[in-house]
Amino acid sequence: MRKLQSLDDLIGFRERVSAEKDLKTETPTLVVSAGTCGQASGANDIMRIIKRHILKENLGDKIELRITGCHGFCQVEPFILVEPQLHLYPQLKMEDVPRVIEAVLGGYVEEDLIYTEPQVGTKFHSQSDIPFFKKQTRTILGSNQMLDPIRIFNYFERDGYAALEKVLSKADPEWIIEEIKSSGLRGRGGAGFPAGRKWELARASGDDHQPKFVVCNCDEGDPGAYMDRSLLEGNPHSILEGMIIAGIAIGAAHGIIYVRGEYPLAIKHTMIALRQARELGLLGDDILGTGNDFEIEIVRGAGAFVCGEETALIRSVEGFMGEPKQRPPYPIERGIDGFPTCINNVETLANIRIIINSGAAEYAKVGVPGNTGTKIFSLVGKIRDTGLVEVPLGMTIGEVVHDIGGGPPGKARIKAVQTGGPSGGCIPAEHFDLPVDFDSLREAGSIMGSGGMIVMDEDTCMVDVAKYFMGFLKDESCGKCFTCRKGTQRMHEILEDITEGRGTLDQLTLLEELAVVVRDTSMCGLGQSAANPVLSTLRYFRNEYERHIVDKRCDAFVCKDLVGPPCQAACPVGTEAWRYVAHIARGEYEDAYRVIREANPFPSVCARACDHTCEQRCRAGTSGGDPIAIRALKRFITDRIEPSVYIPVRHEWQEGEPPKVAVVGAGPAGLTTAHFLSLEGYRVTVFEAEPEPGGMLFCAIPEYRLPRDVIKKEIDSLLDDNITVVCNTSLGDDITVDGLFDDGFSAVLLALGAHKSRPLGLDNEDVPGVYPSIEFLKAFNLKSEQLAKGRVGVIGGGNSAIDAARTALRQRDVESVTILYRRTRAEMPAFEEEVEAAIEEGVTIETLVSPTEIKTTSGLFSHLGCVRNSLGEPDSSGRRRPVRIEGSEHVIELDTLIVAISEDSGVDSITPARSGGIEVTDWNTVKADARTLLTSRSGVFAAGDVVTGPNTIIDAIADGKKAAVMIDHFVRGEELVQPVKSLMPTVHLDPVEVDPEEAPDDRVETPRASIEWRKRNFAEVEVGLSMQEATREARRCLRCDLEFVERTAPDVRAAGGHAE
Amino acid sequence: MINLKINGIDVSVDRGTTLLEAAQFLGLPISTLCHMEGLTPYGACRLCVVEVGDPPNSRLVTSCTYPAEEGLKVRTASARVLRARKMIVELLLASCPQSKTIQDIAAALNVRQQRFRQENEDCILCGRCVRMCAEQMVAGAIGFTGRGQDRSIGTPFDSNSEVCRLCGACMYVCPVCELRCTYNEPEKAICGGCANLAPPCVDKPQFDDMMCYMQPCVACEIKKD
Ligand code: SF4
Ligand code: SF4
Ligand code: SF4
Ligand code: FES
C-alpha cells in the first residue's frame, strides 16, 4: 500500500475505492460471522467447507465469501447470510453448506434451512423481516455485517475515514467539539456523561507543552456483556477513526486502547488495523501533512473488573495495581502520569464517525432529547432470542424484551430484567413501559452500565440473583474502601443467610441500612453502585425476601435449603413424593400408602385428577429428562392398598364439651377441614346443597376422569362419629350464618365451591341450546341428562372447557365438538395432557377467535357470530392480548353452545353470605385473608374455590387443611398463624441399588384406553400401571432427598418408617 | 486562598488543604482511622466522610482526601453523615472488636453493639503500615496484594523482605495490632479501661480494673472457641 501524503491523496484514494465498488456487479455473497462467538459455535468449519466447495466447483466468480465479526444474533450461529437478498440460514451443520450454495446458485430459497421463528413457525426469507432485526436501528452494529475487519478496503468502501477526511478539511478542532456537543452523545460506558463536554474540558485542560492522552476503554468486565468486544473485533477501523478525531479535537497525540487480555481476537484485529492505518499514513507524525500527530498503542488489562473504572484504569496503564483514586482531581486534569487524559468507551468512539458523517442535527433525530442516538444491549437470560441488539435510546424495555427478544422461550412468565451488569438493578415486568435511557433507568434504581440486559422469569429467585451479583462484587471490589470491601462481604453474608433459611427480619433491616451506607461512602463507581442489586430487588421484590425469611420458602425453587426435594415442595399439601416413590421402589406398598395418606385425605381422587405440580418440578424432568410419573405411581398404590392401612392419630378434646364447627359445602376443601378437625376432637357438621357429599368432585369432574365409586369410597373412609353430613341444605334457603352461630357453632367455614359459570355478556344467552358449562356438566353428572346435540361449540380454554367438550363428545346425539379459544394453544390454561386427550378423541380446537353474537332461529340457538383475533401487545403479565381483526367477522353454524369462560360462586350463594355480614368481591367470591382464611366476620372462615375462583382439587384440599389449623387456633384463642415447616427430609430410606447399565431413563407411558372405545364411553380413560412398570418407574427417581440427609442427620428417623 | 463553608461557618484555607484539615482548623471533630499525620491521605476506612453540596444532590466524600474547593458547602455531622459513620463503626467492630482504637471511636459515636456475625480479624487494611513503611521509613517493604475478599498486606510474594529493617514502625502505627486491651486475660491488660464508659462486665471480679463496652461481650466469647 502506498502511503498517502496529503489530504488530497486521501480524497482521491477514497474516490477511487468507491468508484471500483460501483463497478462490481452484484455477485451473491455468502456472509459468515466469525467473531469470538461465531468461532465458538463452529463458524470456522462452515468457512472451510464453503471455501473447499467454491474451489472444487470452480465457483470463484459466481459466489463471494465474506468473513465478518459478530452481527449480534449470536444464538443462530453458525449461520450463512446470503446477500443481497438477505436470506438467513441459521445454525448450519457442515453437511448443509452445499445445499445452501446450490440454492444461491439456483436463485431459490432452501425452505428447510431458512430461518423459522421458534414457537410461531413462520419462515422469513429476508433477515430484515425477522422480528429480532425488524425493530432494531443498527447504525453501528449494522456495519459489522458489511465488512471484513482485517481488510481496510472494505472499510473504505463503507465510507471509511470519510469522517476523518471531513474533520481534516475543516481543520477546526472547536468545530468537532461543537458537533459532538450538539449531537447530544453521552458516554456509553455507564454514567452517561456528555461526550462533547468531556472533550471540551480535555481540550481546555493542561498547557500547550503537556502531552495529552486519549484512551479507548475496552475493559469490558460485566458478565454477559460483549458489545465492546464485538465492535473492536468486527470494525476496528471505526474505533481508530473515532480516536484520531478525538485526538485532533482535544489536542492529544497519544492514544491508548486498553483492552482485556481475554479478547485475543479483538487484540489481533486491532493490531492489524493499526498497522494498516500506519502504512496508509493515517497514524503517526504529521498525519497527511496536516500537522496533527497521533499514534495509538494497545495496553492489555489483566481482567480485573475494577479496571473499567477510570482512575483504576489509569493506575493500571501506569503499571500499578488497578486501584481507584480520589476524584477530584479528575483524569481530564491529571490522568496518566499526571497528564490530561480523556477516556472514552468503545461504543462512544464508534459513534463519532456517525455524527461527523451525518451531521449532529441528523444524529440527534434518533432517540429522545437528552438521550440521543442508539445503544447496544446484550440481551440474555430467559428469553427466546438472545444476542446483541441496537435500539434508539428511549425505546421501552417491553419493546426490547417482547418485540425484539420474542418474549419468554416457554410458558413461564417474565418477571424482571436486570440491567447494567453486576452493579445494576432489576426492573419488574410492571415497569416494562419504562424507556431505556440513562436517566429513567437511574430513577428506577438501576443503571445503564455497559448495556447488559438479563431477562428473568418466575423460575428466577430475586434473592438468589442479588446474592449472585454480590458474590461477584465482593470478589471484584479492589478492596481499598473498607465499606465497599467489607460491606459487599457482609451483604453477601446476609443474603446467604436468607437463602439458606437462617435469615431474620432484623437482618433484612440491617441489609437495607448497610446497602445505603455502602452506596453513600464508597469512593468509586463500583462501590457506589454495588448496593444496587440489593436495593433494587428490595424495592420491587421485598415480598420474595420476606417469603424466604418468614415462611422459609423459595417459590422459584432455586434456594435449595428452603426447597428440599422439589417434588415435595411443589405439592400444595406437601406430600413427600420422593418418600413414597422410594417405598414403591423397595416394594413397600403399605408404607407408600401411609406416606401419601398422611398428607392428603383424598389419595385416590388425586391419583386421577390432580394436576401434579410435583411432576412439573421433578428434578428428573427439570434436569433435561422426563419427570417421574408421580401421579401414576400414586394411582398404582391407591388401586392396591385399602384405606384402612392408615390409622390416623386422634386426639380427644380435653376440657369439657367438644366445640361444634359448621362447614358449609361438602367438597374437597370442606371435607378436608371436617376430617382434620375431627381428628382433634371437634364435632363437625357439614351442610351440602346437593343430595350427596362431594361438591365439585361430583358436579364438575367427568366420570371418565374420576369414577363415582372412587369418590364415594374415599369420602366414606373420611367420615366418622365426629362428623355429621346434612345434605339437601343450602346456605340462604335452609341455613344462615347467624343461625349457625345461634345454634352454638363456635366457628363456620364457607367452602361453597364455584358453581356458576360466568356469562359471555351477549344477548340471547338464555335461549335453549346455550348452556353454562357447569350447568351442562352438572345436568349430566348428577342427573344423566344429555343436553348437547348435533354440532357443539365450547367457548373457553380452561379445564372446564375441555371437560365440557370431552363430555359432550361422549353424548348420544352429538356430531362434532369444537372448542373456540381467543388466544393460541400455547396460552391455554387447561392441563396440557387433557388438551391432548381431547384432540386425540376428535375434539377440534379453533384458536384466535371470539364470539360476538348468539343468533337464533325460531327461538332456538342456531348460529354463532365470531371474529378472528391476532395477538397484540403483551399485557403487564407478559401474555399477549387478543386483538380483534377488523373485517374478519364470520358465522359458524352450531346446534349447542357451551360457555366455559370461567366460574364463580354465583349470586345465589354469595348473597346469603353477604347478608351474614361477610364481605365479597365484585367477581362473586368471598373475601378472605390469604394467610388466615378469616373473612371479614370473626369466626367465619372461607376456603377453596369460593375464595380463589375455579382452582385445582389439590389447592382446595390444601386450603381445607389450612382452614382446620386456623379454626383450631381460633377456637383455642391462639394466634392465627400457620407454623413454619421445614422441607428437609425427616426420614432416611436406603435407595435400591440399580445396575447403572440397566437404569431406565425414559418415562413410563401412562396407559390409556383405546381412543375408539373411550370416545363413546364414560369408563375411565387412564389405566393403572403394572407392578413391573411401577417398580421400573420408581427406580428412575433421582432421590433428591438424599442430598439433604447429611445436613439434617440428627433428627432423621430410622428407615422403613411407619408414619405413626 | 479558597473560601468554603463548613457547618455554616465561613473559612478560608490554602489551596491543597483537605476538608479534614479545614474542619480541624475550626475545631470540628471528625473521627478518622486510616488517616495519620505525616502520611499521605489514603481514604481507605471511609470513617471521615462528610457531606458536600446541597441536598438532594449532596454526596458523601472522605474529608481526609477531598481537597477544599471554592464555594463548597460541607457538613461534618449531618444525619446522613452520622448514619454512615455509625454503620462503618459497626462493620469495624464486627471485624476487629479487640482494637482499642476502634472501641474508642465507637464509644465516641455512642455505638454500643454491632449486628453482624462476629469476626476476629487482625487487620482492617487501613494501609497505615504501608504508608509508614514507604514514606517515613523509606523502606517500602510491604504493600497490598490481592483484591476484594483476598486483599491483604504483605511483602512481595510473601517472602522475607530484604529491605525491611525490622524497625517495627508498621506495628507501632497499626490501629488493630497495637498494644491492646486484652479483655479476658486481665493479668496482661495494660489498659486501665475507658473511664467514660459503662461496661457490662464490671461485676465480674477479674475485670475489676478494666472495661469493655460491647453488648454482648463478644470478645470473651471469641476466646472461648
Ligand atoms: S469503592 Fe470499592 S472498588 Fe472502588 S475504590 Fe473503593 S474499594 Fe475499590
Ligand atoms: S427425581 Fe424423585 S425426588 Fe427428585 S423431584 Fe423427582 S420424584 Fe422427587
Ligand atoms: S496491619 Fe494494621 S496498619 Fe497495616 S493495614 Fe492492617 S490494620 Fe492497617
Ligand atoms: S480517615 Fe479518611 S478515609 Fe480513613
Side-chain angles (χ1 to χ4, degrees), chain A residues 10 125 199 352 388 662 682 696 711 730 732-733 821 1018 1035:
Chain A
L10 175 63
H125 282 189
W199 286 17
I352 301 300
L388 293 180
Y682 286 82
M696 300 306 283
I711 309 179
S730 62
D733 294 345
Y821 180 56
F1018 283 92
R1035 290 188 176 175

Side-chain angles (χ1 to χ4, degrees), chain B residues 189-211:
Chain B
I190 52 145
C191 140
C194 325
N196 53 342
L197 293 173
C201 53
V202 270
D203 344 322
K204 297 188 192 145
Q206 73 270 39
F207 281 89
D208 266 355
D209 297 333
M210 49 183 307
M211 300 177 188

Side-chain angles (χ1 to χ4, degrees), chain B residues 14 36 58-59 62 70 89-90 106 122 133 141 145 166 183 193:
Chain B
D14 290 333
M36 195 172 194
S58 62
R59 54 196 184 106
T62 42
E70 186 62 39
V89 170
E90 274 197 61
D122 49 18
C133 184
T145 54
L166 303 178
Y183 325 101

Side-chain angles (χ1 to χ4, degrees), chain A residues 421-439:
Chain A
S423 40
C426 296
I427 296 175
E430 300 90 88
H431 294 281
F432 273 14
D433 51 357
L434 191 83
V436 263
D437 60 51
F438 291 98
D439 313 302

Side-chain angles (χ1 to χ4, degrees), chain A residues 326 477 482 497 513 520-521, chain B residues 44 46 65 80 115 117 148:
Chain A
Q326 167 77 42
S477 152
F482 178 68
D497 279 355
E513 281 177 37
D520 260 8
T521 60
Chain B
R46 319 306 288 172
T65 55
R80 187 164 164 208
R115 292 167 286 171
R117 192 161 307 150

Side-chain angles (χ1 to χ4, degrees), chain A residues 616-807:
Chain A
Q616 277 150 32
R617 291 294 183 177
C618 170
R619 191 163 304 147
T622 52
S623 58
D626 295 322
I628 307 298
I630 303 177
R631 193 180 76 186
L633 288 173
K634 180 182 282 179
R635 167 90 191 266
F636 169 78
I637 289 299
T638 55
D639 279 354
R640 268 170 190 70
I641 306 298
E642 281 304 309
S644 55
V645 306
Y646 176 74
I647 301 155
V649 192
R650 293 186 168 275
H651 300 280
E652 285 305 312
W653 188 263
Q654 292 302 328
E655 305 109 45
E657 196 52 20
K660 293 199 321 177
V661 173
V663 172
V664 187
L671 287 175
T672 303
T673 309
H675 169 66
F676 282 103
L677 284 176
S678 142
L679 295 185
E680 293 302 317
Y682 286 82
R683 301 281 183 269
V684 189
T685 309
V686 186
F687 299 96
E688 170 61 47
E690 303 292 342
E692 249 181 306
M696 300 306 283
L697 298 180
F698 261 122
C699 308
I701 301 180
E703 187 154 11
Y704 60 84
R705 276 173 67 199
L706 184 57
R708 306 292 106 162
D709 53 338
V710 172
I711 309 179
K712 283 204 188 102
K713 189 167 159 197
E714 198 115 86
I715 293 179
D716 284 345
S717 77
L718 292 178
L719 299 180
D720 58 33
D721 294 347
N722 283 346
I723 305 177
T724 319
V725 180
V726 183
C727 289
N728 295 317
T729 309
S730 62
L731 188 68
D733 294 345
D734 309 298
I735 48 172
T736 62
V737 175
D738 289 324
L740 290 173
F741 281 117
D742 291 344
D743 288 346
F745 286 102
S746 316
V748 175
L749 176 71
L750 300 180
L752 302 160
H755 287 268
K756 281 279 179 282
S757 296
R758 247 175 251 173
L760 290 169
L762 299 177
D763 288 340
N764 292 335
E765 226 172 314
D766 45 1
V767 298
V770 180
Y771 307 102
S773 67
I774 288 284
E775 200 175 292
F776 169 77
L777 287 169
K778 259 193 191 175
F780 184 74
N781 291 342
L782 301 178
K783 293 180 232 143
S784 305
E785 282 175 36
Q786 308 208 357
L787 297 179
K789 306 219 165 20
R791 293 155 299 184
V792 181
V794 180
I795 298 180
N799 285 314
S800 70
I802 305 287
D803 283 344
R806 291 179 73 190
T807 303

Side-chain angles (χ1 to χ4, degrees), chain B residues 31-35 43-48 62-64:
Chain B
S31 315
T32 60
L33 184 57
C34 68
H35 178 76
C45 74
R46 319 306 288 172
L47 199 58
C48 66
T62 42
S63 59
C64 69

